[in-house]
Amino acid sequence: MLIEALGVPIRLDIEGLTDAEASAVHAAWRDATLRSPERFESPRTVRVRAEGVTDGFARVLEILSQRVTVEAISARGGDLWMLHAAGLAAPDGRVIVLVGPSGRGKTTAARALGAHLGYVSDETVGIGSEGQVYAYRKPLSIVENAGDIHAPKVQRAPSDMGLGEVPAAPLRFAAIVLLDRRPDAPPEPLIEAVDFGDALADLARQSSALVQLDRPLHVMAGLVESVGGVLRVTYREAASLPDVISQLMAGAPRVANADTVTGAVPPPPARVESPASARDTGNPGWYRGKVIDELALTGPDRVVVAHASETATTMVRVLSGIAPALWRAASGASRDDLIAAAIAAHGEPEGEDAGALVDAAIAELADVGLLDWRATPPSA
């Protein structure tokens, strides 16, 4: 069986399955069937019956969904911004991406909205640098035995759940919404704008293979800016979402505090050269740690940095307060240089010792590897 996941052709190897088991695989994955196999060569292969899975075929199907996801993400790493999200498409191909961690209601929201819009995915949405969207119409993983926490989730094809087909029009990124499901939310969902810097941590946590993207922060910023910024929908029940999402897709969302959306994101400013002589003499000084990407945000002044953790995942940190001034000045700077940079940016603190504040900020930045005391620059 040939399927397509995030634009990746994948062959599901049904060797060793009974006829009934093979039929179950086809039934669950039929909506992801590769429509134009002649366009692809050398599909990747995922064997349905994984080694070591012995507790029933329902578990085999549940694990298969996870393995196909991993295979597709592995294939598109460095190529797409991949979000753990639900995607729904309007008839003209515009796609709204609903982002949230597990348990925040993505699958339930996809089911509620998929009756009105085309189902793109409830697992991973892939977005290209020009805004093209790649569908992943995997089966929905449904809890059908809530009384048994160990029971596998049942895999249901989107069409079995009454979800819409992907439109014939090319899929294009049109909106991004953070899901915030709360039992105490008002009956009618609230859509509000979210500052890009405030949303970045959530977006990064729900991104796959971010470390493989070239300048990932700039990719994210550019795509988010292209759709007018990040929104958050706070809601109580998924059944209340179709009306507000329809308004959003129609271009007339009910938005509160729209002026808080970060607009054009400027490129990183020129480095502030430290007056220290460490660069010339080889004397030790504070240097910036190695990062994958950095981005300057205004209103207020912040610097966002992405760096690889010890586990090779991407950490995204938003530097605010005096930290941006210290970061920009750390080109072999002494402690006094960093104090001077903080005062130049923010003035003398009232009732507090500037040195103590800078020392505390240096300690925090050094603790996560963003500042390093050394005799030569990190690249030397």
Side-chain angles (χ1 to χ4, degrees):
M1 182 179 186
L2 282 174
I3 64 169
E4 184 175 351
L6 301 175
V8 179
I10 295 176
R11 183 173 70 93
L12 300 183
D13 181 358
I14 61 174
E15 182 182 357
L17 302 188
T18 66
D19 289 345
E21 290 171 341
S23 294
V25 174
H26 279 270
W29 286 91
R30 65 176 181 270
D31 294 340
T33 300
L34 191 62
R35 297 182 179 183
S36 303
E38 67 278 0
R39 293 190 296 118
F40 298 98
E41 297 179 359
S42 303
R44 293 182 171 226
T45 298
V46 174
R47 188 168 184 178
V48 172
R49 190 178 289 283
E51 297 292 333
V53 182
T54 60
D55 54 345
F57 197 67
R59 184 74 70 191
V60 169
L61 288 177
E62 180 183 42
I63 294 175
L64 174 64
S65 181
Q66 300 166 6
R67 291 167 60 227
V68 170
T69 300
V70 170
E71 192 71 25
I73 289 173
S74 175
R76 299 312 300 261
D79 184 23
L80 303 179
W81 180 22
M82 293 177 285
L83 282 157
H84 185 47
L88 290 307
D92 62 2
R94 289 177 301 118
V95 175
I96 182 170
V97 179
L98 307 177
V99 182
S102 297
R104 194 60 61 89
K106 288 188 302 300
T107 296
T108 305
R111 292 175 65 181
L113 295 167
H116 310 274
L117 298 166
Y119 168 80
V120 174
S121 184
D122 76 327
E123 169 62 36
T124 301
V125 177
I127 309 171
S129 59
E130 300 301 319
Q132 63 272 41
V133 172
Y134 295 85
Y136 179 26
R137 286 172 58 83
K138 61 174 284 294
L140 283 80
S141 298
I142 307 298
V143 176
E144 293 192 350
N145 186 1
D148 183 358
I149 61 173
H150 300 293
K153 293 181 179 179
V154 178
Q155 306 302 301
R156 300 293 187 199
S159 53
D160 282 347
M161 309 299 296
L163 306 187
E165 292 287 333
V166 170
L171 300 181
R172 304 289 299 175
F173 183 40
I176 186 164
V177 176
L178 300 177
L179 290 178
D180 188 9
R181 185 179 184 182
R182 300 182 185 180
D184 60 346
E188 186 171 350
L190 171 67
I191 297 179
E192 56 187 337
V194 183
D195 178 87
F196 179 66
D198 294 339
L200 257 177
D202 283 335
L203 295 178
R205 277 192 292 267
Q206 301 307 318
S207 297
S208 298
L210 200 58
V211 70
Q212 298 180 42
L213 279 177
D214 182 35
R215 304 185 81 198
L217 297 178
H218 283 76
V219 170
M220 295 166 68
L223 287 169
V224 166
E225 183 185 359
S226 74
V227 298
V230 181
L231 301 174
R232 179 188 292 115
V233 58
T234 304
Y235 68 106
R236 186 186 304 175
E237 299 294 341
S240 65
L241 291 176
D243 285 347
V244 293
I245 297 301
S246 295
Q247 290 183 43
L248 175 59
M249 296 300 283
R254 289 170 288 183
V255 176
N257 302 322
D259 59 341
T260 64
V261 175
T262 300
V265 180
R271 295 294 193 190
V272 177
E273 292 299 329
S274 166
S277 59
R279 294 180 306 281
D280 301 322
T281 66
N283 292 329
W286 286 107
Y287 288 92
R288 290 175 290 275
K290 184 178 180 180
V291 297
I292 300 166
D293 194 13
E294 65 174 286
L295 190 69
L297 300 179
T298 58
D301 176 35
R302 290 157 294 171
V303 172
V304 185
V305 295
H307 62 111
S309 69
E310 294 180 355
T311 59
T313 56
T314 304
M315 299 293 296
V316 173
R317 302 183 189 275
V318 181
L319 309 184
S320 59
I322 64 173
L326 305 185
W327 173 258
R328 293 177 184 129
S331 297
S334 67
R335 174 179 180 270
D336 289 343
D337 295 329
L338 296 183
I339 293 172
I343 292 174
H346 298 277
E348 289 278 0
E350 293 186 11
E352 296 186 82
D353 178 60
L357 295 175
V358 168
D359 287 342
I362 290 174
E364 290 184 18
L365 293 172
D367 188 55
V368 295
L370 292 182
L371 286 186
D372 186 23
W373 178 263
R374 56 191 298 139
T376 56
S379 59

